[in-house]
């Protein structure tokens, strides 16, 4: 069994509130939501973060962002606005070493992020 929690969720080996899934991606509600809508979009395949992407992952990244759009629309925040965030490494606060896009919405957000 993988020690990566997002690999385990993607494999159905750990519980999660999954809002969308297909053969390449899973979208689940963050367990510590920072906004009324806080969904994580992850690839099924283990990729540590954006820096670990290979040239051949270009289409996968496009797909993950398409899923981000889809879940934002489904959650009703597309018109009001939402933010897509990928934290990479320590200074950005990456705490899970499996690529994930946060989809945040449902409230006004400050800029720049803290
Ligand atoms: P980051 O800090 O960018 O690596 O974000 C990781 C996010 O993942 C953080 O907001 C909390 C969330 N998270 C961590 N473990 C789990 C889990 O087991 N289930 C769910 N649903 N979310 C998790």
């Amino acid at each position: 069994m993988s020690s990566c929690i997002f690999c385990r969720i993607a494999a159905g080996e750990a519980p999660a509130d999954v809002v969308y899934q297909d053969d390449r991606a899973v979208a689940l509600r963050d367990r510590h939501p920072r906004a009324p809508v806080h969904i994580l979009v992850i690839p099924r395949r283990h990729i540590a973060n954006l820096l670990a992407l290979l040239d051949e992952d270009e289409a996968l990244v496009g797909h993950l962002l398409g899923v981000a759009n889809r879940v934002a629309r489904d959650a009703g925040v597309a018109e009001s606005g939402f933010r897509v965030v990928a934290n990479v490494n320590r200074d950005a606060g990456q705490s899970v070493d499996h690529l994930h896009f946060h989809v945040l919405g449902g409230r006004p957000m400050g800029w720049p992020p803290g």
Side-chain angles (χ1 to χ4, degrees):
M1 184 184 286
S2 171
S3 61
C4 169
I5 183 60
F6 287 176
C7 282
R8 293 180 59 212
I9 287 171
E13 296 169 356
D17 186 354
V18 171
V19 297
Y20 173 82
Q21 59 182 315
D22 60 31
D23 59 329
R24 286 179 287 171
V26 178
L28 58 140
R29 293 195 191 281
D30 194 293
R31 76 171 171 190
H32 299 308
R34 303 302 183 116
V37 172
H38 189 171
I39 294 166
L40 304 171
V41 179
I42 67 173
R44 284 194 183 276
R45 200 180 96 227
H46 186 83
I47 299 172
N49 61 32
L50 286 177
L51 286 170
L53 287 167
L54 306 173
D55 288 349
E56 54 263 38
D57 293 327
E58 206 170 294
L60 174 63
V61 174
H63 180 67
L64 295 172
L65 292 174
V67 172
N69 277 343
R70 179 186 182 124
V71 298
R73 283 197 192 93
D74 290 350
V77 296
E79 290 305 316
S80 52
F82 65 99
R83 187 169 287 172
V84 179
V85 175
N87 294 320
V88 180
N89 284 342
R90 186 189 57 227
D91 277 0
Q94 183 178 3
S95 61
V96 178
D97 291 333
H98 182 127
L99 176 63
H100 49 283
F101 290 104
H102 297 257
V103 178
L104 297 143
R107 64 166 172 80
M109 276 171 250
W111 188 263

